[in-house]
């Protein structure tokens, strides 16, 4: 069955909950064991004394029914064996990185990344001796080979390993795409076959990718060589700008170390938010399709407007390399894009201050259209030289198109541009 069908019932049996058609919200901090031996067996699984993890519900820092149903359904969308949910996208990303990186290791990542992710690598992990190397999103196979060779040398010099290749594609806020297939090929070539584990991937160096901008509908990175897919569920999956949550998905062998750290640290999504996400998943395809159609209409209007310098929209790519990546990896153009207004910060602020339907707010992927100015908001903490290199310019407005009427949105953008 297709994911859109499975979202209505997969992973939940009403018979186990008094026939309740929808899963109740399980507000409990702990679960009663059938007997003492069952309790012991669960803890053997949780502590790693026995393979396979807990066989039932134990304690709400580890898991709960709402979270388990949600994790099962999220895995369906990405064709993953397993998924884990978290209290925010950043909790997911930070626990993922901490699970895989040890002292003196190197992380290789694409750029741009969401500023908090970039900051976590550069400012927090660095305190534990973990260094990083980054490459521009559109890097070619030759460039990727070069950065991985450099990373290996750096790791050897530090006495560590290349612990993870971390991608964000499309990158926030420019929509720059990463060639996941090329990264996967380069990774497999950089690490000798001896290090390749039974699952087919190199054990030491998983490829993780933040798929928040296009997933789960328009990009399926696990099919292109990524091992772990990460989400801010706050965005398209939650989809109503009313919750904060995150997830990762992939083969169970990649999830297990992260689950173990989550069990220790906490950070699992709460039952109420998990329940809301289950409701959101029932409509995620409908919402994303409509938002995608709206964005295509809005961008057709904005393209060539006299106040517009250009668009960073995946439906109107001008760079052949980026177009090739899009053709191979993406199933749609999304509904979040960059609008480059002729001028700079003042012109962007005039545009933003005069929008009436679109709300001036950071975040994206909700039912309502949002607009923001990354250079002075989400990416304010990024050093100017790096902003310049990544194309996060003062005349960039990031727009996330929602599911309103497209003509109303076009009229709103038209009148706001008149104020520029
Ligand atoms: C691409 C991307 N990844 C991760 C995050 C972080 O997600 P959260 O706000 O749910 O922690 C964001 C938030 O804007 C994002 O845009």
């Amino acid at each position: 069955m297709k994911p859109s069908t499975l979202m209505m019932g997969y992973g939940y049996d009403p018979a186990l909950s008094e026939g309740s058609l929808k899963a109740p919200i399980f507000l409990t901090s702990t679960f009663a064991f059938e007997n003492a031996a069952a309790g012991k067996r669960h803890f053997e699984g949780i502590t790693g004394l026995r393979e396979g993890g807990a066989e039932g519900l134990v304690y709400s820092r580890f898991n709960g029914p709402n979270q388990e149903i949600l994790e099962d359904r999220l895995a369906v969308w990405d064709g993953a064996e397993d998924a884990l949910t978290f209290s925010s996208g950043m909790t997911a990303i930070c626990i993922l990185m901490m699970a895989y990186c040890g002292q003196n290791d190197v992380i290789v990542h694409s750029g741009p990344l969401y500023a908090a992710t970039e900051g976590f690598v550069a400012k927090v992990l660095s305190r534990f001796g973990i260094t990083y190397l980054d490459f521009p999103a559109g890097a070619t196979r030759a460039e990727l080979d070069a950065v991985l060779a450099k990373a290996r040398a750096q790791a050897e010099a530090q006495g560590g390993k290349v612990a993870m290749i971390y991608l964000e594609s499309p990158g926030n806020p420019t929509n720059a795409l990463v060639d996941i297939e090329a990264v996967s090929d380069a990774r497999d070539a950089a690490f000798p076959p001896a290090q390749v584990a039974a699952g087919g991937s190199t054990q030491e160096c998983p490829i993780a990718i933040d798929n928040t901008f296009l997933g789960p509908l328009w990009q399926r990175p696990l099919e292109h060589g990524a091992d772990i897919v990460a989400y801010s569920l706050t965005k398209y999956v939650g989809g109503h700008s009313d919750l904060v949550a995150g997830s990762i998905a992939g083969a169970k062998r990649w999830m297990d170390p992260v689950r173990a750290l989550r069990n220790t640290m906490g950070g699992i999504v709460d039952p109420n938010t998990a329940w809301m996400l289950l409701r959101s998943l029932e409509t995620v395809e409908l919402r994303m399709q409509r938002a995608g159609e709206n964005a295509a209409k809005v961008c057709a209007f904005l393209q060539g407007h006299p106040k517009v310098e250009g668009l960073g929209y995946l439906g109107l790519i001008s760079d052949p390399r980026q177009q090739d990546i899009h053709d191979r990896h993406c199933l749609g153009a999304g509904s979040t894009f960059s609008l480059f207004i002729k001028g700079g910060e003042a012109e962007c602020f005039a545009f933003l201050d005069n929008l009436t339907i679109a709300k001036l707010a950071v975040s994206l992927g909700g039912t309502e259209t949002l607009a923001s100015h990354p250079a002075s908001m989400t990416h304010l903490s990024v050093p100017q030289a790096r902003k310049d290199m990544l194309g996060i310019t003062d005349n960039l407005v990031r727009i996330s198109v929602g599911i309103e009427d497209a003509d109303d949105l076009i009229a709103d953008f038209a009148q706001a541009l008149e104020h520029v």
Side-chain angles (χ1 to χ4, degrees):
M1 281 186 276
K2 299 280 191 316
S4 51
T5 308
L6 292 170
M7 288 311 108
M8 309 316 163
Y10 184 69
Y12 172 66
D13 180 359
L16 297 175
S17 294
E18 307 283 357
S20 175
L21 181 69
K22 295 294 179 192
I25 302 175
F26 288 85
L27 292 177
T28 183
S29 60
T30 194
F31 296 86
F33 300 137
E34 274 172 41
N35 50 49
K40 180 180 178 189
R41 192 161 166 75
H42 287 325
F43 270 92
E44 284 169 352
I46 283 171
T47 54
L49 287 178
R50 182 179 50 74
E51 286 281 303
E55 286 166 4
L57 296 162
V58 175
Y59 183 65
S60 295
R61 197 180 73 238
F62 306 152
N63 219 336
N66 299 105
Q67 295 94 326
E68 285 201 339
I69 302 165
L70 175 62
E71 289 168 353
D72 286 351
R73 292 190 192 171
L74 287 169
V76 164
W77 279 103
D78 277 298
E81 190 182 2
D82 198 6
L84 296 169
T85 52
F86 299 84
S87 58
S88 73
M90 282 316 301
T91 312
I93 292 163
C94 295
I95 296 185
L96 167 68
M97 289 182 174
M98 283 192 284
Y100 278 96
C101 300
Q103 199 178 11
N104 304 328
D105 285 351
V106 178
I107 292 189
V108 179
H109 73 76
S110 62
L113 297 181
Y114 177 59
T117 308
E118 206 160 291
F120 183 72
V121 174
K123 295 180 195 153
V124 181
L125 291 181
S126 58
R127 299 200 328 244
F128 305 97
I130 298 163
T131 62
Y132 68 92
L133 280 174
D134 66 320
F135 61 87
T140 60
R141 173 65 199 277
E143 288 165 337
L144 291 164
D145 285 343
V147 78
L148 288 186
K150 203 169 159 195
R152 287 191 71 168
Q154 187 164 312
E156 256 166 52
Q158 288 172 193
K161 63 184 181 302
V162 182
M164 172 173 279
I165 302 175
Y166 184 87
L167 317 175
E168 187 176 297
S169 183
N172 183 350
T174 57
N175 262 348
L177 294 169
V178 179
D179 189 338
I180 307 164
E181 283 165 354
V183 172
S184 171
D185 290 345
R187 186 272 310 268
D188 291 347
F191 294 93
Q195 291 184 23
V196 176
S201 289
T202 44
Q203 198 151 24
E204 284 80 7
C205 187
I207 298 169
I209 175 166
D210 184 333
N211 197 34
T212 298
F213 268 42
L214 285 183
L217 208 60
W218 294 311
Q219 184 169 251
R220 296 167 61 83
L222 301 184
E223 292 175 3
H224 300 287
D227 300 300
I228 299 163
V229 63
Y231 286 97
S232 167
L233 301 176
T234 315
K235 311 298 188 298
Y236 288 98
V237 176
H240 296 73
S241 305
D242 56 5
L243 60 83
V244 174
S247 68
I248 61 168
K252 193 172 167 349
R253 59 182 280 263
W254 294 118
M255 296 297 104
D256 282 345
V258 189
R259 189 196 318 273
L261 189 56
R262 188 187 68 174
N263 283 348
T264 303
M265 293 179 64
I268 189 169
V269 69
D270 68 89
N272 191 65
T273 305
W275 187 95
M276 288 172 73
L277 283 160
L278 290 174
R279 166 175 277 207
S280 291
L281 279 176
E282 296 184 5
T283 58
V284 67
E285 187 176 75
L286 284 176
R287 287 182 284 103
M288 290 184 79
Q289 274 167 353
R290 164 77 172 216
E293 286 161 18
N294 278 357
K297 291 178 190 165
V298 166
C299 288
F301 162 76
L302 292 171
Q303 188 194 26
H305 188 287
K307 303 270 176 74
V308 172
E309 190 180 281
L311 288 172
Y313 169 57
L314 295 174
L316 294 167
I317 299 174
S318 53
D319 175 57
R321 167 90 180 128
Q322 287 287 304
Q323 186 65 54
D324 172 51
I325 300 173
H326 187 264
D327 292 347
R328 284 186 285 118
H329 290 3
C330 307
L331 303 163
S335 87
T336 300
F337 62 91
S338 338
L339 167 65
F340 297 93
I341 293 181
K342 283 183 186 162
E345 186 184 275
E347 285 74 13
C348 290
F349 281 15
F351 171 75
L352 290 168
D353 288 343
N354 283 287
L355 290 167
T356 58
I357 298 174
K359 299 287 182 294
L360 173 50
V362 297
S363 201
L364 56 110
T367 47
E368 65 288 288
T369 298
L370 300 182
S372 64
H373 187 249
S376 66
M377 297 171 191
T378 45
H379 291 70
L380 183 64
S381 61
V382 178
Q384 189 57 45
R386 185 153 173 80
K387 275 191 215 167
D388 294 344
M389 195 184 80
L390 297 171
I392 305 171
T393 51
D394 281 344
N395 72 337
L396 188 168
V397 170
R398 190 185 69 189
I399 295 175
S400 163
V401 171
I403 63 170
E404 303 94 335
D405 179 81
D407 292 335
D408 286 347
L409 289 175
I410 290 170
D412 192 26
F413 289 131
Q415 66 78 25
L417 281 169
E418 276 170 28
H419 290 85
V420 172

